[in-house]
Amino acid sequence: MPNERWTSDHIPDQTGRVFVVTGANSGLGLASARALARKGGHVVLAVRDEAKGRAAAADITAEHPHASVEVRPLDLADLDSVRAFADRLRAERRAVDVLLNNAGVMAPPRTLSAQGHELQFAANHLGHFALTGLLLGLMAGAADPRVVTVSSVNHRKARMYFDDIAGERSYSPMGFYNQSKLANAVFGRELHLRLAAAGSPVRSVLAHPGYTATNLQMNGTVGLWRVLLGRIGNPLLAQSPARGALPQLYAATEPNVASGDFIGPDGPAELRGAPKRVELSRDAADPDTARRLWELSEHATGVRFALPAPVAP
């Protein structure tokens, strides 16, 4: 079990390791990037807004002058941007040790992505699905390579709307946010099974931050949800981004984490606390849901993983 007092100070030395952190200009992503850079890792800040990314990089280097960070544009809601980001890394033959699938949007009004997908499903799931598939080839030769996908405690109250995946007939901002977080959980577990079946050294690990005060609850969140989650919930219940990032940092760096683990906070209802192993919902571990989501994601993104599907028990 993880140490209940585990903090970012316990991260082992990461010198020589390359981390790609999506959504690294604020919140959990920035907290993760700062902690990894402080421990010697080279961190690629993959951000939609380059100006905000440069400000985040400057913030990190002001605190840690020897930090190794760089900023690269990535809009996860636009699959063309995802391909351009991955193509650039692949052209450089840049090895990637850890991909931290952190970025996300939460409860906006119904919006479509550049390719016509519901925005939350596109940014939170499809973009990370495609990015992972495109970068896996850069990870296989790394030492202790990992894909860490950030889900949410809300995945347990979600279901997949396979008959209305874009919310054309009925759209609920939080319902479709929860769907995207369930998709993250399903993807992370299914990726673990497929990597294991292929004998790949890459570990797929899931994490969730509990309830954390970030811009996620304020930027784009619609109406009442902005008030409940941001203006009321953040001051009363939420923990800081530095605390909320601990589960994903643990998943990314702790030696005893196994592929397929799900790391979350140890406090009541997993809303806050130190990292520990937690349970996935039954739906997240359902093989039929995983098969349907994987096929849908391949079709929507055009990205196919060179990995065998796990054999059904």
Side-chain angles (χ1 to χ4, degrees), residues 6 11-12 14 19 36 144 146 248-255 257:
W6 195 92
I11 296 173
Q14 300 298 308
F19 297 81
L36 295 167
D144 188 16
R146 305 185 191 192
Q248 59 202 56
L249 287 167
Y250 190 98
T253 65
E254 190 63 18
V257 168

Side-chain angles (χ1 to χ4, degrees), residues 149-218:
T149 301
V150 180
S151 182
S152 166
V153 70
N154 280 24
H155 90 276
R156 299 194 182 102
K157 60 178 71 173
R159 72 179 187 88
M160 297 299 307
Y161 303 109
F162 284 119
D163 59 344
D164 188 24
I165 203 71
E168 293 178 294
R169 295 195 296 275
S170 177
Y171 177 76
S172 158
M174 279 303 296
F176 275 72
Y177 172 75
N178 293 344
Q179 172 184 246
S180 74
K181 294 289 100 180
L182 175 57
N184 290 151
V186 173
F187 166 61
R189 183 179 186 276
E190 180 69 4
L191 179 62
H192 152 64
L193 294 174
R194 291 179 182 238
L195 290 167
S200 171
V202 180
R203 306 185 209 188
S204 174
V205 188
L206 282 155
H208 84 78
Y211 193 0
T212 302
T214 72
N215 291 336
L216 190 66
Q217 294 96 341
M218 297 300 293

Side-chain angles (χ1 to χ4, degrees), residues 45-266:
L45 282 69
V47 298
R48 184 171 59 86
D49 187 320
E50 287 188 80
K52 291 180 179 179
R54 289 191 294 271
D59 180 62
I60 293 171
T61 54
E63 186 176 349
H64 308 292
H66 299 294
S68 178
V69 296
E70 63 177 298
V71 178
R72 298 203 178 192
L74 173 64
D75 182 353
L76 284 157
D78 184 347
L79 293 168
D80 292 337
S81 176
V82 174
R83 285 189 176 276
F85 178 91
D87 286 347
R88 181 179 171 189
L89 282 178
R90 293 192 296 184
E92 296 168 356
R93 299 178 184 270
R94 175 76 69 89
V96 174
D97 295 274
V98 178
L99 171 60
L100 180 46
N101 289 327
N102 162 83
V105 294
M106 183 180 194
R110 184 174 182 269
T111 309
L112 298 183
S113 71
Q115 286 76 33
H117 306 295
E118 189 274 318
L119 182 65
Q120 297 182 91
F121 191 69
N124 298 356
H125 168 63
L126 290 177
H128 284 128
F129 178 95
L131 182 64
T132 302
L134 293 169
L135 294 186
L136 269 182
L138 299 179
M139 303 182 72
D144 188 16
R146 305 185 191 192
V147 176
V148 178
T149 301
V150 180
S151 182
S152 166
V153 70
N154 280 24
H155 90 276
R156 299 194 182 102
K157 60 178 71 173
R159 72 179 187 88
M160 297 299 307
Y161 303 109
F162 284 119
D163 59 344
D164 188 24
I165 203 71
E168 293 178 294
R169 295 195 296 275
S170 177
Y171 177 76
S172 158
M174 279 303 296
F176 275 72
Y177 172 75
N178 293 344
Q179 172 184 246
S180 74
K181 294 289 100 180
L182 175 57
N184 290 151
V186 173
F187 166 61
R189 183 179 186 276
E190 180 69 4
L191 179 62
H192 152 64
L193 294 174
R194 291 179 182 238
L195 290 167
S200 171
V202 180
R203 306 185 209 188
S204 174
V205 188
L206 282 155
H208 84 78
Y211 193 0
T212 302
T214 72
N215 291 336
L216 190 66
Q217 294 96 341
M218 297 300 293
N219 293 343
T221 304
V222 69
L224 180 61
W225 288 112
R226 179 179 296 190
V227 175
L228 292 175
L229 297 172
R231 299 190 185 280
I232 297 175
N234 277 359
L236 294 178
L237 300 174
Q239 58 188 345
S240 69
R243 293 288 299 171
L246 292 181
Q248 59 202 56
L249 287 167
Y250 190 98
T253 65
E254 190 63 18
N256 68 357
V257 168
S259 186
D261 279 353
F262 186 24
I263 309 297
D266 67 354

